[in-house]
Amino acid sequence: MKLPYAEPYKIKMVESIKRSTKEQRKKWIKKAHYNLFNLTSEKVFIDLLTDSGTGAMSDQQWAAMMTGDESYAGSQSYLKLKKVIKKITGYTYFLPTHQGRAAENVLFSVLVKEGNLVPGNSHFDTTKGHIEFRKATAVDCTIDEAFNTTIHHPFKGNIDLEKLEKVFTENPKDKIPFVILTITCNSSGGQPVSMKNIKAVSKLCKSYDIPLFFDSARFAENAYFIKTREKGYMDTSIKEIAKEFFSYGDGMTMSAKKDGLVNMGGFIALNSEKIYKEASVFNIMYEGFLTYGGMNGRDMAALAVGLDEATEFNYLESRIEQVAYLGKKLTEYGVPVLQPFGGHAIFIDANKFVPTIPRNEYRAQALAIELYIIGGIRGVEIGTVLADRDPFTRKNRYPELELVRLAIPRRTYSLNHMKYIASVLKNIYDTRQKAKTGYIIVDEAPIMRHFTVKFKKIKKSTRK
Ligand SMILES: Cc1ncc(COP(=O)(O)O)c(C=O)c1O
């Protein structure tokens, strides 16, 4: 008998989470203007809003915190972190930042100019936000298979080389400062990019003399998928795989809150001394001195250990298999979820789940709200609300997919929690025909509206 995976850790400390009633939750979500970001955490039973900064640190990381060197300049923790980053990524230069979007802000301050095009694979919203904020355009070159939720493609995060080359040939080179490859690709469902694709993108970029950067928030999970799905990598370690793919690029931005296994932090790592020097000026302005950026010494110390732990196979196996367990249970119940399952999250296909709610009434948001009301579970909409308005026409952008993302924090919830989540969704799925109306927006920010948007529940459908 093949033995199942088991977590390569045991529990040393627990944190209570509160259950509430459906009536309480109905009241709370209304008061929160039907925006799940507005709920205070004690009103949530299982929090799947994000896997970002919500994981559990190990005893080794907590021990490292005690050794944190809080010196303003030349911190030992900075040096330790620099060494680990060099070991794992191969990149020589490194700038600490307070989180991933800060790394984007600093790097893009150097590289992105008005009118530029930045091709990539379904850019994450903060990445796109930082590009559009500079009056540049993010061009999505993801393969078409990524937009079909039922196709079993092992690497749905891949870039379509033809789409990418078209951007290169149809635009002057100086309009394309770099290509950004998100590994794994959050916006297309936590889907990985294959080594073959990374190599090919790198080759194409080199032939047009355009740099390649990685948005590396979940690079270790991407490496796990390469190891388990791509021919030729079964016997290669996660660390070797990561080192190989990073070698095909010029640098990376990192949200350490994911595969850094810490609650806060980020960094830029790269090869070019020139870009490093220019970025250093912005880092000092926006983040802090070069040897701490936006981070405490103790957080850099914990991150150095976290990066090592996150690139261990046994940890990654238990992480990815836990997510897959939830996906399999939901599939068993008939709930439409994105296939194959993502590395950090399960994505429910709201277009298939509640086609009865019109798209202009934010059906994925409506489903996320129902999930909270019925089970106290907080997921997040990855659909029209997140896609925001077109910066020029100000019209709603309707993405191909309307998803509810259930992001699983690392080393935090048990398999029983996964069973509970699946049961709640099954109950909602069984009564889905009753859902006819959604929500309208009554207030929204000009950019990245999903964090603060306010909704009103509508009683009469806008469907004509
Ligand atoms: C792929 C990707 N890039 C960038 C970021 C931004 O990182 P942070 O939240 O640390 O600012 C995220 C956050 O979720 C992400 O998933």
Side-chain angles (χ1 to χ4, degrees):
M1 179 183 183
K2 187 176 181 286
L3 295 180
Y5 82 91
E7 287 76 11
Y9 50 85
K10 58 185 179 175
I11 295 162
K12 203 173 228 169
M13 190 188 281
V14 295
E15 177 186 344
S16 296
I17 47 176
K18 289 200 187 102
R19 298 190 81 151
S20 51
T21 65
K22 202 167 128 183
E23 297 322 308
Q24 282 175 315
R25 293 192 291 268
K26 267 189 186 167
K27 245 191 277 164
W28 292 336
I29 192 68
K30 186 174 178 196
K31 215 165 159 209
H33 303 285
Y34 297 101
N35 183 340
L36 292 144
F37 284 97
N38 285 338
L39 289 171
T40 51
S41 60
E42 88 285 2
K43 297 187 173 72
V44 177
F45 180 47
I46 299 180
D47 206 344
L48 309 182
L49 184 69
T50 176
D51 63 322
S52 179
T54 51
M57 290 210 298
S58 69
D59 53 351
Q60 295 303 312
Q61 287 180 285
W62 282 106
M65 299 269 292
M66 294 305 293
T67 68
D69 176 359
E70 306 302 338
S71 304
Y72 190 97
S75 158
Q76 292 301 309
S77 306
Y78 163 85
L79 294 172
K80 263 189 208 153
L81 179 56
K82 186 172 166 87
K83 210 167 147 191
V84 173
I85 290 173
K86 171 82 185 160
K87 183 180 87 177
I88 291 177
T89 69
Y91 296 132
T92 306
Y93 298 100
F94 139 69
L95 286 167
T97 62
H98 77 274
Q99 61 184 97
R101 70 200 67 188
E104 290 163 358
N105 188 30
V106 169
L107 186 68
F108 296 3
S109 292
V110 177
L111 299 177
V112 183
K113 306 276 176 292
E114 187 172 339
N116 280 178
L117 300 169
V118 183
N121 52 341
S122 299
H123 309 62
F124 183 65
D125 60 336
T126 59
T127 320
K128 198 175 196 169
H130 276 297
I131 292 168
E132 291 178 351
F133 183 70
R134 291 170 171 82
K135 298 195 165 48
T137 308
V139 187
D140 188 359
C141 299
T142 316
I143 54 169
D144 291 338
E145 289 92 327
F147 304 104
N148 183 327
T149 58
T150 52
I151 288 185
H152 266 272
H153 186 297
F155 293 102
K156 277 185 171 175
N158 281 358
I159 274 195
D160 182 322
L161 296 164
E162 273 178 32
K163 287 186 196 173
L164 183 62
E165 189 153 24
K166 194 159 177 267
V167 183
F168 289 172
T169 51
E170 289 180 357
N171 298 282
K173 179 179 150 337
D174 63 0
K175 275 208 155 201
I176 309 167
F178 59 95
V179 169
I180 191 140
L181 198 50
T182 306
I183 51 172
T184 58
C185 186
N186 189 357
S187 306
S188 71
Q191 300 294 323
V193 182
S194 70
M195 189 72 90
K196 191 173 164 212
N197 191 251
I198 296 173
K199 258 195 224 176
V201 169
S202 167
K203 198 171 160 209
L204 191 62
C205 286
K206 282 199 174 85
S207 69
Y208 283 83
D209 195 23
I210 290 168
L212 171 64
F213 280 84
F214 294 99
D215 175 349
S216 321
R218 298 176 185 83
F219 77 94
E221 291 170 9
N222 201 97
Y224 176 85
F225 284 120
I226 290 176
K227 184 177 170 72
T228 53
R229 291 184 185 170
E230 192 163 348
K231 217 170 137 220
Y233 287 94
M234 205 171 68
D235 298 321
T236 315
S237 74
I238 297 292
K239 286 188 171 67
E240 285 164 339
I241 292 172
K243 190 95 175 262
E244 182 183 337
F245 58 60
F246 283 129
S247 77
Y248 299 128
D250 297 280
M252 64 192 279
T253 56
M254 175 77 186
S255 168
K257 301 166 74 175
K258 285 86 171 175
D259 281 351
L261 294 178
V262 290
N263 303 114
M264 190 53 75
F267 60 87
I268 298 167
L270 73 176
N271 278 334
S272 158
E273 189 184 0
K274 182 175 174 287
I275 299 175
Y276 167 75
K277 277 191 175 159
E278 285 171 32
S280 296
V281 178
F282 291 102
N283 218 56
I284 292 171
M285 254 187 338
Y286 297 145
E287 295 295 298
F289 185 61
L290 303 178
T291 58
Y292 73 87
M295 295 182 78
N296 297 312
R298 55 183 172 273
D299 288 342
M300 289 192 286
L303 175 56
V305 178
L307 284 170
D308 238 335
E309 291 180 358
T311 45
E312 283 301 313
F313 178 79
N314 288 346
Y315 152 72
L316 282 166
E317 182 187 43
S318 75
R319 153 103 184 123
I320 303 229
E321 290 302 323
Q322 187 189 46
V323 176
Y325 176 87
L326 175 61
K328 281 179 205 153
K329 265 261 161 289
L330 289 172
T331 310
E332 211 178 289
Y333 293 152
V335 176
V337 295
L338 204 85
Q339 305 275 358
F341 312 130
H344 67 293
I346 294 299
F347 293 74
I348 305 164
D349 185 342
N351 283 337
K352 294 207 175 102
F353 198 122
V354 273
T356 44
I357 299 175
R359 284 199 81 179
N360 63 342
E361 294 176 21
Y362 310 104
R363 56 171 67 132
Q365 178 68 15
L367 180 55
I369 292 167
E370 191 65 5
L371 182 58
Y372 172 69
I373 292 172
I374 302 299
I377 300 160
R378 172 156 67 174
V380 70
E381 191 254 21
I382 307 268
T384 306
V385 182
L386 182 76
D388 234 313
R389 291 183 190 275
D390 183 286
F392 302 104
T393 66
R394 301 305 302 156
K395 286 206 167 114
N396 260 339
R397 286 190 280 215
Y398 289 100
E400 297 208 28
L401 301 179
E402 290 280 356
L403 304 168
V404 175
R405 186 185 75 176
L406 307 177
I408 312 297
R410 294 166 180 78
R411 305 191 289 208
T412 303
Y413 290 111
S414 70
L415 224 50
N416 277 333
H417 288 116
M418 301 302 123
K419 286 182 193 162
Y420 172 88
I421 299 160
S423 305
V424 171
L425 273 159
K426 181 184 183 321
N427 288 351
I428 300 173
Y429 192 62
D430 289 347
T431 57
R432 65 192 183 281
Q433 296 302 345
K434 287 190 206 151
K436 296 276 191 278
T437 54
Y439 295 81
I440 51 163
I441 289 179
V442 290
D443 188 34
E444 66 183 283
I447 195 162
M448 288 195 221
R449 65 180 175 181
H450 60 288
F451 290 121
T452 52
V453 60
K454 291 180 181 171
F455 296 97
K456 201 173 137 202
K457 194 168 166 45
I458 50 175
K459 297 209 169 72
K460 197 166 174 299
S461 176
T462 55
R463 200 190 285 274
K464 291 184 187 97

